[in-house]
Amino acid sequence: MRIGILGAGVAGLVTAMELAERGARVEIIERAPDHAQACAWVAGGMLAPWCEQATAEPQVAVLGAPAIAWWQRHFASTVQHGTLVVAASRDAGELALFGRRTERFEPIDAERIGALEPELAGRFRQGLFFPDEAHLDPRRALPALAAQLAAMGVTIRYGVDADAECIDADQVVDCRGLAARDTLEDLRGVRGEMIVVRSPDIHLSRPVRLLHPRFGLYVVPRGDGVFMLGGTLLESSRRGPVTVRSAMDVLNAAYALHPAFAEAEILELGVGVRPAFPDNLPRVLRRGRTVYLNGLYRHGFLLAPAFARQAAQMILPILPETAPCTSP
């Protein structure tokens, strides 16, 4: 079966992998010249299904947990060192609330925090450690996945602005993200802003989340003293530059986590507008010969494998049925 996929972001690439591994002939059409235009390019790359339970629907953890093994199979540089969650003493209530909403963690004290992350020794009295979670670098994972697909005979055509009607294929999978609002009317944009910094004086081996009543920060190590800082969540489809308020929130929180971030070099300020449905859960829909996979919201790398599998099952139903991934 010949299948055309619209979009070479994380949803498109993962769906292409699921279909190609089932023997389909796949071609990907991407209107941008490279992966850097995808919102996944500025994502944190955290595979944190249990941390996400604190603010997401239960399905996110259930469907997201298998993504860790999926990425380990397809991207060897996936790191599984867990996630550390901390809070200042005055915000101990935020930590307790986070723990009540999540699972599969260890409550830890200051000594254990220092053992996990020596840079944070003596800075926090208590925290939560999620040992089974993982993370990856999206800017390495997306090209690596594309290279694997090319080796499997999948063609990726960049710089081609096409729609489902003009693709010569038996089936089409639309993974265009927010660009699919021309067809999926209830799709909305959720803006996320991030900052990439370099600090040779700070060494972290896993994502660290700092809880605060007003603003929650996450810090994701990229290696060689480079860190991605994020945590913003704005109901907006605007793609403009990072705002002053977001930059101040992120940088102030990073300084609160470790004062050495004050001397870090700012390498990049980036914005991604993530596609979301009203319930913030992804959907796989069929309309004619086109299957739509969209609405990954802030869980692109975490939920793409589960929903790509559902899309593949919808197109190639001869395989054994799997648990449904649709939202209620």
Side-chain angles (χ1 to χ4, degrees):
M1 181 178 289
R2 297 175 305 135
I3 301 172
I5 296 179
L6 292 174
V10 64
L13 294 178
V14 173
T15 301
M17 182 63 70
E18 287 291 320
L19 289 164
E21 288 179 339
R22 288 160 169 76
R25 293 171 53 193
V26 181
E27 181 181 54
I28 303 174
I29 309 297
E30 170 56 57
R31 65 178 181 175
D34 52 39
H35 300 292
Q37 307 303 312
C39 63
W41 196 253
V42 295
M46 295 177 291
L47 304 174
W50 300 286
C51 276
E52 290 301 317
Q53 277 186 312
T55 56
E57 296 295 325
Q59 298 98 308
V60 171
V62 173
L63 298 174
I68 296 172
W70 194 96
W71 285 106
Q72 288 173 329
R73 289 195 306 272
H74 294 91
F75 181 57
S77 296
T78 301
V79 179
Q80 191 174 17
H81 289 169
T83 302
L84 177 60
V85 182
V86 296
S89 297
R90 66 178 180 275
D91 299 324
E94 296 296 317
L95 196 66
L97 178 61
F98 195 95
R100 288 195 297 271
R101 292 174 172 173
T102 57
E103 58 184 345
R104 296 186 63 163
F105 64 87
E106 304 169 12
I108 57 176
D109 58 14
E111 182 178 358
R112 179 83 165 118
I113 292 172
L116 288 170
E117 296 292 355
E119 295 285 345
L120 302 181
R123 297 197 53 78
F124 301 96
R125 294 181 181 177
Q126 55 186 331
L128 307 175
F129 178 48
F130 295 76
D132 299 322
E133 296 190 335
H135 71 282
L136 52 78
D137 184 347
R139 299 184 180 187
R140 296 176 60 199
L142 294 181
L145 212 56
Q148 290 179 48
L149 288 167
M152 297 168 68
V154 175
T155 301
I156 305 180
R157 296 167 55 198
Y158 295 100
V160 178
D161 192 2
D163 58 30
E165 297 303 320
C166 63
I167 293 181
D168 182 18
D170 300 309
Q171 300 277 322
V172 176
V173 186
D174 190 326
C175 299
R176 291 180 295 149
L178 202 60
R181 282 191 299 182
D182 57 359
T183 303
L184 305 175
E185 296 81 4
D186 54 348
L187 201 62
R188 78 186 199 282
V190 180
R191 177 181 165 100
E193 304 178 358
M194 67 88 184
I195 303 176
V196 178
V197 303
R198 181 190 292 120
S199 176
D201 299 323
I202 301 177
H203 304 277
L204 299 175
S205 59
R206 56 183 54 79
V208 177
R209 299 187 183 220
L210 176 65
L211 304 182
H212 184 275
R214 188 178 62 83
F215 181 82
L217 171 78
Y218 56 77
V219 177
V220 187
R222 295 283 192 244
D224 299 322
V226 176
F227 300 89
M228 185 271 200
L229 314 177
T232 61
L233 198 63
L234 306 173
E235 288 289 336
S236 172
S237 298
R238 188 176 66 85
R239 298 183 182 273
V242 171
T243 62
V244 170
R245 177 172 182 172
S246 291
M248 291 177 61
D249 283 343
V250 170
L251 294 174
N252 284 336
Y255 178 78
L257 180 69
H258 198 298
F261 275 117
E263 305 302 322
E265 303 171 351
I266 296 178
L267 303 181
E268 179 184 346
L269 295 94
V271 172
V273 180
R274 297 161 289 196
F277 290 110
D279 60 1
N280 292 332
L281 292 173
R283 298 177 189 171
V284 175
L285 310 167
R286 178 186 285 281
R287 295 181 181 176
R289 69 165 187 156
T290 301
V291 172
Y292 294 87
L293 193 169
N294 216 313
L296 290 174
Y297 186 44
R298 53 179 289 174
H299 309 302
F301 286 88
L302 184 64
L303 292 184
F307 284 86
R309 182 175 178 82
Q310 183 184 348
Q313 181 65 39
M314 189 176 289
I315 293 170
L316 302 172
I318 60 173
L319 296 175
E321 288 292 338
T322 57
C325 297
T326 53
S327 60

